[in-house]
Amino acid sequence: MTAGLQVREQDTRILAGPSGPRLWLSANGGYIASRVGQALLAVLGVYVLVFVIVTVLPGDPVSSQLRNPENNYSEEEIARLLAYYKLDRSVFEQLGIALGRLFSGDLGLSISSHRPVSAVLWEGIPSTLQLAGTAFVFATILAFLIALAAIYVPARFGGAVFRAFPPLFLSMPNFLIGLVIIDIFSFQLGFFAINDYDSINALIYPAITLAIPASAPIAQIFLTALDDARAQQYSTVAISKGISRIGLFGRHLLPNAALPTLTITAIIVGDLLGGSVLTEAIFGRTGIGSIIQTAATEQDVPVLQAAVTLAAVLFLTINLVVDLIYPVLDPRLRKAAAT
Amino acid sequence: MRHDVGRRQFLRLGALLAGAAVVAACTRDGDSGSPAPAGSGNSEPKPGGEITYLNAHLNQGYAQQQVSSWHVLQVWAQFVEYLFYYDDEGALLPHLASGFTHNADFTEFIITVREGITFSNGEKLDAAAVALNLNLQGLGDDSRGITRVANLPETFDKATAISATEVQVRLTAPFPALIPVLAGTSTTGILAPATLKLSLEEQSDLKNTYATGPFVVDSWKPNKEIVLVRRDDYAWPRPDSAHQGPAYLDKITIQQLSEASLRVGALDSGQVDLIHYPQPSEETGLVERGATLLNSFVPGSVWGLHLRLGAEHLDDIRVRKALTHAINRQEIVDTLYSSEWKVATGPLNSSTPWGLDLSDRFAYNPDLANRLLDEAGWTGRDKDGYRTKGGRQLYFFEYPSVFITTSRDDLALIAQQWKKVGVRLELKGVDFSNYNTVAQQDSVPLYEIHWAAPHPVYLWRWWHSSQQNQFKKPSAEFDRILEDVATAPTDAEAFAASKKAQEYVIDHAYFIPVHEFPQNFAASAKLKGIGADGYGRIRLYDTWLDS
């Protein structure tokens, strides 16, 4: 977390420029292009890295299927299949083939399902975006409410209790939350059917499952940032001048707490996009997380490369957007360079 | 030479052609009607209705010869049919075929195809279509990356349609068990020529699968849901079916839910009608709560341990025998499973018609196990109580199967039981993709299986040193016994020859049988007429909803 914040501080020096968001953006087109270029290089790096990691591991997907003694294939037959999938080539040749596919936009065929990788991914992308997006909204609202309650509910009404929520939520594993939700709301109360995959419930309940632990770090950072801002002299001065609670929050606390919260939020969104394997499994959803998990299990290199790269693209895009939002939110960053 | 599938089988075939009433009178012992499927109760079958069935896993692709698992079979069995099959009593019966003949040395077979059958895309089932299927199954297609069906003999040469209803299959070497293998292999379903001519990529799309079964694929969401609908012109059910004509159910929705406890919860709460693989520990509770349980004991399938004869300590038959006598099988079943599960009585399960009950030869007897180990010189003990000889501990290790969810629990209990006679068993871990490579190393002393064997020729497949042998130490004597099994010209002779092989693996302690391994299902009380065939495949053709 700290490292992430330090990086953001370095970024602010680069981001500085003429004041006014639109003006800044127009004046910093080169910077944006540079960040996009870096992101593309990172994506390429991820693609190659996944290939290298999977390739250096012992075994290969064809052998792992055909060498099951129950199947009884001869070594000659296995060799022919390895040749068909070009798994008999050297690592460098295989990497060249994989890169060729990437640059031509053809992601190839899944080795385990024999279907186009693009089709396999497309089956998971909408589900993942829906789930991650909904969970993110829920998590943000929940975190916002927890932080506000912790600050504004008086101690005599248990305000301090809300400060215990983030560590409590963080320690609750997704699968446990999911199983409890299903047992109570589906099996006991009958609010939704676990296999009704097309209903809105099939999105809401898994999103709640994901949102509870995801809200914890956002709430923690937001709360800490609010506390910090409230302890600053400008807050003390504003209070002494009789500013209302809402005014203090809107004009002083929220703007100053927004940047660190935005940073952690970007990381959380990244986690939600790629890290919902257990929730997807429990609720029977097919998303990028479960596709990655299946592909890793079966050493399905084309699918694994494409899915991890897609997750990286999404993660990098969000981080890029957040980086570009910083100066829009904070005038100090735009003015810094000028001074 | 005219070959009978078997007198009883032909009687059954005649019964099929004569009609349902005769079918009911023509069964194995002639003392009952068609097998009464589980949950049939007393109510009358009613057409119509939709059911939801939860599978533990649905595939991303369904090209027949590339995918084979118990999960796939449960889906496949509803719309793909076979030339021959094994019924739930282990009898070989014709279905899309009406019979077969073969020459004297079993290098040429003529399979006769039934008339009047069509695929769901309208194509006709004839000898040409069957030949196309058999050639792809027997030879594969390297240019499309399609593997041959490995259970078929490598000596498969060619299948040719010699008339509208007759297919000639030529082999380059004798293989008497060709028809049993066609019946007992999951990836030999007969598909429409239009499906077979597609690329591997296109065949993997379930919507392109056209077959002859009572249901057809209506829609498919990979890894998520398959919707099957009734085929209204279906009129060629298997001889062991309880009715004729189209299936009763209008629609079957098969969905994936990987977590076993959630599948049980969904059934209990009435959200679904049928589930595969309820947790064995939940079976008793499910029955108490009104569900119907279906445990299908696939012929041959016994969960047990192959011993690697070349691994450390296992070259001594006294040690091997001590290991098998030190296992309390009843305790394993009582502790981990429901009363529906059975301890093993031989290398093949008790539903195998030609399986032997050899339980006396490997019964739990810790005193005998201790005596054998003492005789083998393992008389010392280390600080943990394990036996030692020459300063070395009597130690074995195993990689629990990544394919069998109950494996680790079984082995953990066996480790406790072996510890009582001073033997140490360590359970190691390996990931899914490397299991087949790691667990098959000669130095790994134990290898677990629960393979199916509908015909004795599968023993030759399992154990002959030229085949799947996991003992990893060829025995000329044992190979000869297995060759007698594989070359036996009749089923009766194959059955007889198989007895020597079964006795050999027990008497030489090559294999430690532990418990039988069923395919288990649970259904809601309103679902009637569910059943499974002799390969553990659930059949929903006779199933109906009792409102």
Side-chain angles (χ1 to χ4, degrees), chain A residues 58-59 64 67-73 77 80-81 84-85 109 113-116 120 123 179 182 186-187 192-195 197-198 281-282 286 297 299, chain B residues 52 60-61 66 142-145 147-148 150 200-201 204 221-223 255-257 262 265-266 269 271-272 432-434 436 440 447 451 461 467-468 470:
Chain A
S64 71
R67 286 212 165 84
N68 183 338
E70 201 169 358
N71 286 334
N72 203 38
Y73 285 107
E77 288 170 306
R80 287 207 301 269
L81 258 293
Y84 177 82
Y85 287 105
L109 288 181
S113 73
H114 316 289
R115 296 175 56 239
V120 173
E123 285 150 13
L179 290 175
I182 288 171
S186 178
F187 297 159
F192 71 102
I194 189 171
N195 59 322
Y197 298 131
D198 295 326
I282 289 171
T286 301
T297 300
Q299 283 193 309
Chain B
T52 303
Q60 283 186 341
Q66 311 304 118
D142 287 346
S143 68
R144 288 187 283 170
T147 51
R148 73 178 184 89
L200 178 57
E201 173 189 342
S204 298
K221 295 174 186 168
N223 276 146
Q255 295 173 321
Q256 171 178 295
L257 193 57
L262 295 181
S269 61
Q271 296 177 11
V272 302
F432 185 91
S433 56
N434 287 303
N436 281 326
Q440 286 185 62
Y447 182 77
W451 297 340
R461 279 273 187 226
Q467 300 293 310
Q468 296 151 266
Q470 291 299 309

Coordinates of all heavy atoms in Angstrom, one line a residue, chain A residues 58-59 64 67-73 77 80-81 84-85 109 113-116 120 123 179 182 186-187 192-195 197-198 281-282 286 297 299, chain B residues 52 60-61 66 142-145 147-148 150 200-201 204 221-223 255-257 262 265-266 269 271-272 432-434 436 440 447 451 461 467-468 470:
Chain A
P58 N 7.1 -28.5 -15.5 CA 7.2 -29.9 -16.1 C 5.8 -30.3 -16.7 O 4.8 -29.8 -16.2 CB 7.6 -30.8 -15.0 CG 7.2 -30.0 -13.7 CD 7.3 -28.6 -14.1
G59 N 5.8 -31.1 -17.7 CA 4.6 -31.6 -18.3 C 4.1 -30.7 -19.4 O 4.6 -29.6 -19.5
S64 N -0.5 -34.6 -20.4 CA -1.2 -34.8 -19.1 C -2.5 -35.5 -19.4 O -3.0 -36.2 -18.5 CB -1.4 -33.5 -18.4 OG -2.3 -32.7 -19.1
R67 N -1.3 -39.3 -21.3 CA -0.5 -40.2 -20.6 C -1.2 -40.8 -19.4 O -0.6 -41.6 -18.6 CB 0.8 -39.5 -20.1 CG 1.8 -39.3 -21.3 CD 3.2 -39.4 -20.9 NE 4.1 -39.6 -22.0 CZ 4.5 -38.6 -22.8 NH1 4.2 -37.4 -22.5 NH2 5.3 -38.8 -23.8
N68 N -2.5 -40.5 -19.3 CA -3.3 -41.2 -18.3 C -3.3 -42.7 -18.7 O -3.7 -43.0 -19.8 CB -4.7 -40.6 -18.3 CG -5.6 -41.3 -17.2 OD1 -5.3 -42.4 -16.7 ND2 -6.6 -40.6 -16.8
P69 N -2.8 -43.6 -17.8 CA -2.8 -45.0 -18.2 C -4.1 -45.6 -18.6 O -4.2 -46.5 -19.4 CB -2.2 -45.7 -17.0 CG -2.4 -44.7 -15.9 CD -2.4 -43.4 -16.4
E70 N -5.2 -44.9 -18.1 CA -6.5 -45.4 -18.5 C -6.7 -45.2 -20.0 O -7.6 -45.9 -20.6 CB -7.6 -44.7 -17.7 CG -8.9 -45.4 -17.6 CD -9.8 -44.9 -16.6 OE1 -9.5 -43.9 -16.0 OE2 -11.0 -45.4 -16.5
N71 N -6.0 -44.3 -20.6 CA -6.2 -44.0 -22.0 C -5.4 -44.9 -22.9 O -5.8 -45.2 -24.0 CB -5.8 -42.5 -22.3 CG -6.9 -41.6 -21.8 OD1 -8.0 -41.9 -21.7 ND2 -6.4 -40.4 -21.5
N72 N -4.2 -45.3 -22.5 CA -3.5 -46.3 -23.2 C -3.0 -45.9 -24.6 O -3.1 -46.7 -25.5 CB -4.3 -47.6 -23.3 CG -3.5 -48.8 -23.5 OD1 -2.4 -48.9 -23.0 ND2 -3.9 -49.7 -24.4
Y73 N -2.6 -44.7 -24.8 CA -2.0 -44.3 -26.0 C -0.5 -44.6 -26.1 O 0.2 -44.6 -25.1 CB -2.2 -42.7 -26.2 CG -3.6 -42.3 -26.5 CD1 -4.4 -41.7 -25.6 CD2 -4.1 -42.6 -27.8 CE1 -5.7 -41.3 -25.9 CE2 -5.4 -42.2 -28.1 CZ -6.2 -41.6 -27.1 OH -7.5 -41.3 -27.4
E77 N 1.7 -42.2 -30.9 CA 0.4 -41.4 -31.0 C 0.5 -40.1 -30.2 O 0.1 -39.1 -30.7 CB -0.7 -42.3 -30.5 CG -1.1 -43.4 -31.4 CD -2.1 -44.4 -30.8 OE1 -1.8 -44.9 -29.7 OE2 -3.1 -44.6 -31.4
R80 N 2.5 -37.7 -32.2 CA 1.8 -37.1 -33.3 C 0.9 -35.9 -32.9 O 0.8 -34.9 -33.5 CB 1.0 -38.2 -34.1 CG 1.8 -39.1 -34.9 CD 0.9 -39.7 -36.0 NE -0.2 -40.4 -35.6 CZ -0.3 -41.7 -35.3 NH1 0.8 -42.4 -35.4 NH2 -1.4 -42.3 -34.9
L81 N 0.3 -36.1 -31.7 CA -0.6 -35.1 -31.2 C 0.3 -33.9 -30.7 O -0.1 -32.7 -30.9 CB -1.4 -35.6 -30.0 CG -2.8 -36.0 -30.2 CD1 -3.6 -34.7 -30.6 CD2 -3.0 -36.9 -31.4
Y84 N 1.0 -32.0 -33.7 CA -0.2 -31.2 -34.2 C -0.4 -29.9 -33.5 O -0.7 -28.9 -34.1 CB -1.5 -32.1 -34.0 CG -2.7 -31.4 -34.5 CD1 -3.1 -31.4 -35.8 CD2 -3.5 -30.8 -33.6 CE1 -4.2 -30.7 -36.2 CE2 -4.7 -30.1 -34.0 CZ -5.0 -30.1 -35.3 OH -6.2 -29.4 -35.7
Y85 N -0.1 -29.9 -32.2 CA -0.3 -28.7 -31.4 C 1.0 -27.9 -31.3 O 1.1 -26.9 -30.6 CB -0.8 -29.0 -30.0 CG -2.2 -29.5 -29.9 CD1 -2.6 -30.8 -29.8 CD2 -3.2 -28.5 -30.1 CE1 -3.9 -31.2 -29.8 CE2 -4.6 -28.9 -30.1 CZ -4.9 -30.2 -29.9 OH -6.2 -30.6 -29.9
L109 N -6.5 -21.8 -30.7 CA -7.5 -22.7 -30.1 C -7.1 -23.2 -28.7 O -5.9 -23.3 -28.4 CB -7.6 -23.9 -31.0 CG -8.2 -23.8 -32.4 CD1 -8.2 -25.1 -33.1 CD2 -9.6 -23.2 -32.3
S113 N -10.3 -27.6 -24.7 CA -11.7 -27.6 -25.2 C -11.7 -27.6 -26.8 O -12.8 -27.8 -27.4 CB -12.5 -26.5 -24.7 OG -12.1 -25.3 -25.3
H114 N -10.6 -27.3 -27.4 CA -10.5 -27.2 -28.9 C -11.3 -26.2 -29.5 O -11.6 -26.2 -30.7 CB -10.8 -28.6 -29.5 CG -10.2 -29.7 -28.7 ND1 -8.8 -30.0 -28.7 CD2 -10.7 -30.6 -27.9 CE1 -8.5 -31.0 -28.0 NE2 -9.7 -31.4 -27.4
R115 N -11.8 -25.2 -28.7 CA -12.6 -24.1 -29.2 C -11.7 -22.9 -29.3 O -10.7 -22.8 -28.7 CB -13.8 -23.9 -28.3 CG -14.7 -25.1 -28.3 CD -15.9 -24.9 -27.3 NE -16.6 -23.7 -27.6 CZ -16.8 -22.7 -26.7 NH1 -16.2 -22.8 -25.5 NH2 -17.5 -21.7 -27.0
P116 N -12.1 -21.9 -30.1 CA -11.3 -20.7 -30.3 C -11.2 -20.0 -28.9 O -12.1 -19.8 -28.2 CB -12.2 -19.8 -31.2 CG -13.0 -20.7 -32.0 CD -13.3 -21.9 -31.0
V120 N -13.9 -18.6 -25.9 CA -13.8 -19.0 -24.5 C -13.8 -17.7 -23.7 O -14.5 -17.6 -22.7 CB -12.6 -19.9 -24.3 CG1 -12.4 -20.1 -22.8 CG2 -12.7 -21.2 -25.0
E123 N -17.0 -15.7 -23.4 CA -18.0 -16.2 -22.5 C -17.8 -15.7 -21.1 O -18.8 -15.8 -20.3 CB -18.0 -17.7 -22.6 CG -18.6 -18.3 -23.8 CD -18.0 -19.6 -24.2 OE1 -17.3 -20.2 -23.4 OE2 -18.2 -20.0 -25.4
L179 N -21.2 -19.0 1.0 CA -21.9 -20.2 1.4 C -23.0 -19.8 2.4 O -24.1 -20.3 2.4 CB -20.9 -21.2 2.1 CG -20.0 -21.9 1.1 CD1 -19.0 -22.8 1.8 CD2 -20.8 -22.8 0.1
I182 N -25.9 -18.1 0.6 CA -26.7 -19.1 -0.2 C -27.5 -19.9 0.8 O -28.7 -20.1 0.5 CB -25.7 -20.0 -1.0 CG1 -25.1 -19.3 -2.2 CG2 -26.5 -21.2 -1.5 CD1 -24.0 -20.0 -2.9
S186 N -31.0 -18.4 0.0 CA -31.5 -19.3 -1.0 C -32.2 -20.5 -0.5 O -33.4 -20.7 -0.7 CB -30.4 -19.7 -2.0 OG -30.8 -20.6 -3.0
F187 N -31.4 -21.3 0.3 CA -32.0 -22.6 0.8 C -33.0 -22.4 1.9 O -34.0 -23.1 1.9 CB -30.8 -23.5 1.2 CG -29.8 -23.9 0.1 CD1 -28.6 -24.3 0.4 CD2 -30.2 -23.8 -1.2 CE1 -27.7 -24.7 -0.6 CE2 -29.3 -24.1 -2.2 CZ -28.1 -24.6 -1.9
F192 N -33.9 -16.6 -3.6 CA -33.4 -16.8 -4.9 C -33.0 -18.2 -5.1 O -32.7 -18.9 -4.1 CB -32.2 -15.9 -5.3 CG -30.9 -16.2 -4.6 CD1 -29.9 -16.9 -5.3 CD2 -30.7 -15.9 -3.2 CE1 -28.7 -17.2 -4.6 CE2 -29.5 -16.2 -2.6 CZ -28.5 -16.9 -3.3
A193 N -33.1 -18.7 -6.4 CA -32.6 -20.0 -6.7 C -31.2 -20.0 -7.2 O -30.8 -19.2 -8.0 CB -33.5 -20.6 -7.8
I194 N -30.4 -20.9 -6.6 CA -28.9 -20.8 -6.9 C -28.6 -21.1 -8.3 O -27.6 -20.6 -8.8 CB -28.2 -21.8 -6.0 CG1 -26.7 -21.6 -6.1 CG2 -28.5 -23.2 -6.3 CD1 -25.9 -22.3 -5.1
N195 N -29.5 -21.8 -9.0 CA -29.2 -22.1 -10.4 C -30.0 -21.2 -11.4 O -30.0 -21.5 -12.6 CB -29.6 -23.6 -10.7 CG -31.1 -23.8 -10.4 OD1 -31.6 -23.3 -9.5 ND2 -31.7 -24.6 -11.2
Y197 N -29.5 -18.7 -13.3 CA -28.3 -17.9 -13.7 C -28.7 -16.6 -14.4 O -27.9 -15.7 -14.6 CB -27.4 -18.7 -14.5 CG -26.8 -19.9 -13.8 CD1 -26.9 -21.2 -14.4 CD2 -26.3 -19.8 -12.6 CE1 -26.3 -22.3 -13.7 CE2 -25.8 -20.9 -11.9 CZ -25.8 -22.1 -12.5 OH -25.3 -23.2 -11.8
D198 N -29.9 -16.5 -14.9 CA -30.2 -15.3 -15.8 C -31.0 -14.2 -15.0 O -31.2 -13.2 -15.5 CB -31.1 -15.8 -16.9 CG -30.4 -16.7 -17.9 OD1 -29.1 -16.5 -18.0 OD2 -31.0 -17.6 -18.5
A281 N -17.1 -19.9 -8.6 CA -17.4 -21.3 -8.5 C -18.6 -21.6 -7.6 O -19.4 -22.4 -8.0 CB -16.1 -22.0 -7.9
I282 N -18.7 -20.9 -6.5 CA -19.8 -21.1 -5.6 C -21.1 -20.8 -6.2 O -22.1 -21.5 -6.1 CB -19.6 -20.3 -4.3 CG1 -18.4 -20.9 -3.5 CG2 -20.9 -20.3 -3.5 CD1 -18.0 -20.1 -2.4
T286 N -19.5 -18.2 -14.8 CA -18.2 -18.4 -15.6 C -17.7 -17.0 -15.9 O -18.3 -16.2 -16.6 CB -18.6 -19.1 -17.0 OG1 -19.1 -20.4 -16.7 CG2 -17.3 -19.3 -17.8
T297 N -5.1 -25.1 -14.5 CA -5.1 -26.5 -14.1 C -4.8 -27.5 -15.2 O -4.1 -28.5 -15.1 CB -6.6 -26.9 -13.6 OG1 -6.8 -26.0 -12.5 CG2 -6.7 -28.3 -13.1
Q299 N -3.1 -26.7 -17.9 CA -2.0 -26.1 -18.7 C -2.4 -25.8 -20.1 O -1.7 -26.0 -21.1 CB -0.9 -27.2 -18.7 CG -0.1 -27.2 -17.4 CD 1.2 -28.0 -17.6 OE1 1.2 -29.1 -18.1 NE2 2.3 -27.4 -17.1
Chain B
T52 N -34.5 -30.0 -13.8 CA -33.1 -29.4 -13.8 C -32.2 -30.4 -13.1 O -32.6 -31.0 -12.0 CB -33.2 -28.1 -13.0 OG1 -34.1 -27.2 -13.6 CG2 -31.8 -27.5 -13.0
Q60 N -16.1 -27.1 -21.6 CA -16.0 -26.0 -22.5 C -16.1 -26.5 -24.0 O -16.4 -25.8 -24.9 CB -14.8 -25.2 -22.4 CG -14.8 -24.3 -21.2 CD -13.6 -23.4 -21.1 OE1 -12.5 -23.7 -21.7 NE2 -13.6 -22.3 -20.4
G61 N -15.9 -27.8 -24.2 CA -15.9 -28.4 -25.5 C -16.3 -29.8 -25.4 O -16.0 -30.5 -24.4
Q66 N -12.2 -36.5 -27.8 CA -11.2 -35.7 -27.1 C -11.6 -35.6 -25.6 O -10.8 -35.1 -24.8 CB -11.1 -34.3 -27.7 CG -10.9 -34.3 -29.2 CD -9.8 -35.1 -29.7 OE1 -9.9 -36.1 -30.4 NE2 -8.6 -34.7 -29.2
D142 N -5.2 -37.4 -37.8 CA -4.0 -36.6 -37.4 C -4.2 -35.2 -38.0 O -3.8 -34.2 -37.4 CB -2.7 -37.2 -37.9 CG -2.3 -38.4 -37.0 OD1 -2.9 -38.5 -36.0 OD2 -1.4 -39.1 -37.4
S143 N -4.7 -35.1 -39.2 CA -4.8 -33.8 -39.9 C -5.7 -32.8 -39.2 O -5.6 -31.6 -39.3 CB -5.3 -34.0 -41.4 OG -6.6 -34.4 -41.4
R144 N -6.7 -33.4 -38.4 CA -7.6 -32.6 -37.6 C -7.3 -32.6 -36.1 O -8.1 -32.0 -35.3 CB -9.1 -33.0 -37.9 CG -9.6 -32.7 -39.3 CD -11.1 -33.0 -39.4 NE -11.3 -34.5 -39.5 CZ -12.5 -35.1 -39.4 NH1 -13.6 -34.3 -39.2 NH2 -12.6 -36.4 -39.6
G145 N -6.3 -33.3 -35.8 CA -5.9 -33.4 -34.3 C -6.9 -34.2 -33.5 O -7.0 -34.1 -32.3
T147 N -7.8 -37.7 -31.9 CA -7.2 -38.9 -31.5 C -8.1 -40.1 -31.7 O -9.3 -39.9 -31.7 CB -6.8 -38.9 -30.0 OG1 -8.0 -38.5 -29.3 CG2 -5.8 -37.8 -29.7
R148 N -7.5 -41.2 -32.0 CA -8.3 -42.4 -32.1 C -8.8 -42.8 -30.7 O -8.3 -42.3 -29.7 CB -7.5 -43.6 -32.7 CG -6.5 -44.2 -31.7 CD -5.7 -45.3 -32.4 NE -4.8 -45.9 -31.4 CZ -5.1 -46.8 -30.5 NH1 -6.3 -47.4 -30.6 NH2 -4.3 -47.3 -29.6
A150 N -8.6 -45.0 -27.8 CA -7.5 -45.8 -27.4 C -7.9 -47.2 -27.0 O -7.1 -48.1 -27.1 CB -6.7 -45.1 -26.3
L200 N -12.2 -30.3 -35.8 CA -12.2 -30.5 -34.3 C -12.8 -29.3 -33.6 O -13.6 -29.5 -32.6 CB -10.8 -30.7 -33.8 CG -10.6 -31.0 -32.3 CD1 -11.4 -32.1 -31.8 CD2 -9.1 -31.2 -32.0
E201 N -12.5 -28.1 -34.0 CA -13.0 -26.9 -33.4 C -14.6 -26.9 -33.5 O -15.3 -26.6 -32.5 CB -12.4 -25.7 -34.1 CG -13.0 -24.4 -33.7 CD -12.5 -23.3 -34.6 OE1 -11.5 -23.5 -35.3 OE2 -13.2 -22.2 -34.6
S204 N -16.3 -29.5 -31.3 CA -16.3 -29.2 -29.9 C -17.5 -28.4 -29.5 O -17.8 -28.3 -28.3 CB -15.0 -28.5 -29.6 OG -13.9 -29.3 -29.8
K221 N -24.5 -23.3 -23.1 CA -23.6 -22.2 -22.6 C -22.5 -22.9 -21.9 O -22.6 -23.5 -20.9 CB -24.3 -21.3 -21.5 CG -25.5 -20.5 -22.1 CD -26.2 -19.8 -20.9 CE -27.5 -19.1 -21.5 NZ -28.4 -18.7 -20.4
P222 N -21.3 -22.9 -22.6 CA -20.1 -23.6 -22.1 C -19.9 -23.4 -20.6 O -20.0 -22.3 -20.1 CB -19.0 -23.1 -22.9 CG -19.6 -22.7 -24.2 CD -21.0 -22.1 -23.8
N223 N -19.5 -24.5 -19.9 CA -19.2 -24.4 -18.5 C -20.4 -24.0 -17.6 O -20.3 -23.8 -16.4 CB -18.1 -23.5 -18.2 CG -16.7 -24.1 -18.4 OD1 -15.8 -23.4 -18.8 ND2 -16.6 -25.4 -18.1
Q255 N -27.1 -28.2 -15.5 CA -26.3 -27.0 -15.1 C -25.1 -27.5 -14.3 O -25.1 -28.6 -13.8 CB -27.2 -26.0 -14.3 CG -28.3 -25.4 -15.1 CD -29.2 -24.6 -14.2 OE1 -29.5 -25.0 -13.1 NE2 -29.7 -23.5 -14.7
Q256 N -24.1 -26.6 -14.3 CA -22.9 -26.9 -13.5 C -22.9 -26.2 -12.1 O -23.2 -25.0 -12.0 CB -21.7 -26.4 -14.3 CG -20.4 -26.5 -13.4 CD -19.2 -26.0 -14.2 OE1 -18.8 -26.6 -15.2 NE2 -18.5 -24.9 -13.8
L257 N -22.7 -27.0 -11.1 CA -22.5 -26.5 -9.8 C -21.4 -27.3 -9.1 O -21.6 -28.5 -8.8 CB -23.7 -26.5 -8.9 CG -23.7 -25.6 -7.7 CD1 -23.4 -24.2 -7.9 CD2 -25.0 -25.7 -6.9
L262 N -23.5 -27.6 -2.0 CA -24.5 -26.7 -2.6 C -25.4 -27.5 -3.5 O -26.6 -27.2 -3.6 CB -23.8 -25.6 -3.4 CG -23.0 -24.6 -2.6 CD1 -22.4 -23.5 -3.5 CD2 -23.9 -24.0 -1.5
G265 N -27.8 -29.0 -1.1 CA -28.7 -27.9 -0.6 C -29.8 -27.6 -1.7 O -30.9 -27.4 -1.3
A266 N -29.4 -27.5 -2.9 CA -30.3 -27.1 -4.0 C -31.4 -28.2 -4.2 O -32.5 -27.9 -4.4 CB -29.5 -26.9 -5.3
S269 N -33.8 -28.1 -1.1 CA -34.7 -26.9 -1.1 C -35.6 -26.9 -2.3 O -36.4 -26.0 -2.5 CB -33.8 -25.6 -1.1 OG -33.0 -25.6 -2.2
Q271 N -35.0 -26.7 -5.4 CA -34.6 -25.8 -6.6 C -34.2 -26.7 -7.8 O -34.3 -26.2 -8.9 CB -33.4 -24.9 -6.2 CG -33.8 -23.9 -5.1 CD -32.6 -23.1 -4.7 OE1 -31.6 -23.1 -5.3 NE2 -32.8 -22.4 -3.6
V272 N -33.8 -27.9 -7.6 CA -33.4 -28.8 -8.7 C -34.0 -30.1 -8.4 O -34.5 -30.5 -7.3 CB -31.9 -28.9 -8.9 CG1 -31.3 -27.5 -9.2 CG2 -31.2 -29.6 -7.7
F432 N -2.8 -30.9 -10.6 CA -3.6 -31.7 -11.6 C -2.8 -32.0 -12.9 O -2.8 -33.1 -13.3 CB -4.9 -30.8 -11.9 CG -5.9 -31.5 -12.8 CD1 -6.9 -32.3 -12.2 CD2 -5.8 -31.4 -14.1 CE1 -7.8 -32.9 -13.0 CE2 -6.7 -32.1 -15.0 CZ -7.7 -32.8 -14.4
S433 N -2.2 -31.0 -13.4 CA -1.6 -31.2 -14.7 C -0.4 -32.1 -14.7 O 0.0 -32.7 -15.7 CB -1.2 -29.8 -15.3 OG -0.3 -29.1 -14.5
N434 N 0.2 -32.3 -13.5 CA 1.4 -33.1 -13.4 C 1.2 -34.5 -12.8 O 2.1 -35.3 -12.7 CB 2.5 -32.4 -12.6 CG 3.1 -31.3 -13.5 OD1 3.6 -31.5 -14.5 ND2 3.1 -30.1 -13.0
N436 N -0.4 -37.2 -13.8 CA -0.2 -38.4 -14.6 C 1.3 -38.7 -14.8 O 1.7 -39.8 -14.9 CB -0.9 -38.2 -16.0 CG -2.3 -38.5 -15.9 OD1 -2.8 -39.4 -15.1 ND2 -3.1 -37.8 -16.6
Q440 N 3.1 -41.8 -12.1 CA 3.4 -43.1 -12.9 C 4.9 -43.4 -12.9 O 5.3 -44.3 -13.5 CB 2.9 -42.9 -14.3 CG 1.4 -43.0 -14.5 CD 1.0 -42.9 -15.9 OE1 1.4 -43.8 -16.7 NE2 0.3 -41.9 -16.3
Y447 N -0.2 -46.8 -6.6 CA -1.0 -46.1 -7.7 C -2.4 -46.5 -7.6 O -2.8 -47.7 -7.7 CB -0.4 -46.4 -9.0 CG -1.1 -45.6 -10.2 CD1 -0.8 -44.3 -10.4 CD2 -2.0 -46.2 -11.0 CE1 -1.4 -43.6 -11.4 CE2 -2.6 -45.5 -12.0 CZ -2.3 -44.2 -12.2 OH -2.9 -43.5 -13.2
W451 N -11.0 -48.2 -12.1 CA -11.3 -48.4 -13.5 C -12.5 -49.3 -13.7 O -12.7 -50.3 -12.9 CB -10.1 -48.9 -14.3 CG -8.9 -48.0 -14.3 CD1 -9.0 -46.6 -14.0 CD2 -7.6 -48.3 -14.6 NE1 -7.7 -46.1 -14.1 CE2 -6.8 -47.1 -14.5 CE3 -6.9 -49.4 -14.9 CZ2 -5.5 -47.0 -14.7 CZ3 -5.5 -49.4 -15.1 CH2 -4.8 -48.2 -15.0
R461 N -6.0 -55.1 -20.8 CA -5.7 -53.7 -20.9 C -5.0 -53.2 -19.7 O -4.0 -52.4 -19.7 CB -7.0 -52.9 -21.2 CG -7.4 -52.9 -22.6 CD -6.8 -51.9 -23.4 NE -7.3 -51.8 -24.8 CZ -6.7 -51.7 -25.9 NH1 -5.3 -51.7 -25.8 NH2 -7.3 -51.6 -27.0
Q467 N 0.5 -53.1 -22.1 CA -0.6 -52.2 -22.1 C -0.5 -51.2 -21.0 O 0.6 -50.6 -20.8 CB -1.9 -53.0 -22.0 CG -2.1 -54.0 -23.1 CD -2.4 -53.3 -24.4 OE1 -3.2 -52.4 -24.5 NE2 -1.6 -53.7 -25.5
Q468 N -1.6 -51.0 -20.1 CA -1.5 -49.9 -19.2 C -0.8 -50.3 -17.9 O -0.9 -49.6 -16.9 CB -3.0 -49.6 -18.8 CG -3.8 -49.0 -20.0 CD -5.2 -49.3 -19.9 OE1 -5.7 -50.3 -20.4 NE2 -6.0 -48.4 -19.2
Q470 N 0.5 -51.0 -14.5 CA 1.1 -50.1 -13.5 C 1.9 -50.8 -12.4 O 2.3 -50.2 -11.4 CB -0.1 -49.3 -12.8 CG -0.7 -48.3 -13.8 CD 0.3 -47.2 -14.3 OE1 1.0 -46.6 -13.5 NE2 0.4 -47.1 -15.6

